[in-house]
Amino acid sequence: MKNVAVVGSQWGDEGKGKIVDWLSSEADVVIRFQGGHNAGHTLVIDGVTYKLRLLPSGIVRKNKISIIGNGVVVDPWALLDEIQEIKSKGVEVTQKNLIISEAANLILPFHREMDEIREDAAGKSKIGTTRRGIGPAYEDKVGRRSIRVMDLASEKNLTHKLEKVLMHHNAIRKGLGKKIYEKENLMKDLLKIAPEILKYSQPVWKKIDEFKSQGKKILFEGAQGILLDVDHGTYPFVTSSNTVAAAAATGSGCGPNSINYVLGITKAYTTRVGEGPFPTELTDKIGEELGTRGKEFGTVTSRKRRCGWFDGVLVRQTIKISGIDGIALTKLDVLDELDEIKMCIGYELNGKKIDYLPASIDDQLKAKPVYKAFEGWKSPTSGIKKFDNLPDNAKNYINELEKFIESKISSISTSPERNDTILIEDPFKI
């Protein structure tokens, strides 16, 4: 038995949807372990497109168990809307194939409002959040005042907890000159949907232990990317959760020895959504071309992504931080028409060359990329399924990339289509 954790090795949007879909076809259980409905995966199966935000990718496949772990923050209305959306496309969602951790924390309307209030007030210092309440919900979790799935089972308990969390939020709202948030209507709304949420609720840690004893293959599905990790990312321009592979254990309720292989999804160039440092960003014609050819718009927000050259320094750094065993290289075909392709192999900071991205935001913004140039292959790679059939210059770029980041490449994606993949190593079968 092999259990696999999938994480993004850059700033997210690396093409995890396609890879996770392929892996979920082999897995028995798929677990989302962090984040919320601020990150999404797009899956295309038998010509049908599914845009998932909270639901794990396994939900669209028959005979798979999908789990939303305790590390996820759940907007219950967004979740129910998403369930209805995929049901309308013929997908069955029942208590047999969907489990929600009873310890998962809820995103409530005042979290979304607080997200918007802060972003609007920040001006030029804004983080670039998705304004979906993710950060404020995680703050309440750490502040030990959060409403969790289990709290929906008791009206008395829910009343007490709402009073506690609103006392905190209303103090901030008053200070910002905003109207205080009233409890009564929210109570009614929560009690109305409580049965629909609670019917999926179970102790996930216990179910994972059962699945392990049964020898089931488990896929731990991450959202976003390691460079958005609240500890290891480009802080403060990060998300509010840990996106590294180690979070798969804490965000679901199992030991780290439950994860046998860590797969890092890695785009053949680099993109970023929102604000923050981006050493290899291209604001020229090439950057525009990458965005157009790569269809670089967010699954959830439709925001345009910033594009740049592949940053080998950053990917090598995230590989070491997250214990990545192999990478799935995606969107190689986006580079097909370029005359020259560059890879960042170091930075220049204050007149000195360094081989890592420093933790200081000031230094991150000042770091200038040092590039190695490669001759483009100027021929289509789309649909190629064997490494030997790639153009020589493409093979050279991939080999040099693999050598620099110090991690083996387990697969190469040559188009958005699921079958257009060069499989070098199957994480479930090593």
Side-chain angles (χ1 to χ4, degrees), residues 34-54:
Q34 51 76 220
H37 63 310
N38 56 335
H41 295 334
T42 300
L43 310 180
V44 180
I45 301 173
D46 297 329
V48 181
T49 299
Y50 304 94
K51 292 191 176 184
L52 303 179
R53 295 167 287 278
L54 276 167

Side-chain angles (χ1 to χ4, degrees), residues 125 233-237 276-279 347-350 354 356-368:
S125 301
T234 47
Y235 188 92
F237 298 96
F278 187 171
Y347 303 121
E348 189 175 290
L349 178 64
N350 299 325
I354 57 174
Y356 68 99
L357 188 71
S360 162
I361 188 70
D362 291 335
D363 287 343
Q364 290 173 1
L365 290 167
K366 288 188 290 186
K368 302 297 181 187

Side-chain angles (χ1 to χ4, degrees), residues 17 27 94 122 131 182 186 188-189 196 214 245-246 278 295 297 311 349-350 361 399 412 426:
T94 70
R131 297 171 178 253
E182 302 291 346
L186 179 56
K188 291 177 185 175
D189 291 341
E196 285 299 306
Q214 294 165 6
F278 187 171
K295 296 182 173 62
F297 295 91
D311 194 327
L349 178 64
N350 299 325
I361 188 70
N399 288 332
I412 303 165
D426 187 336

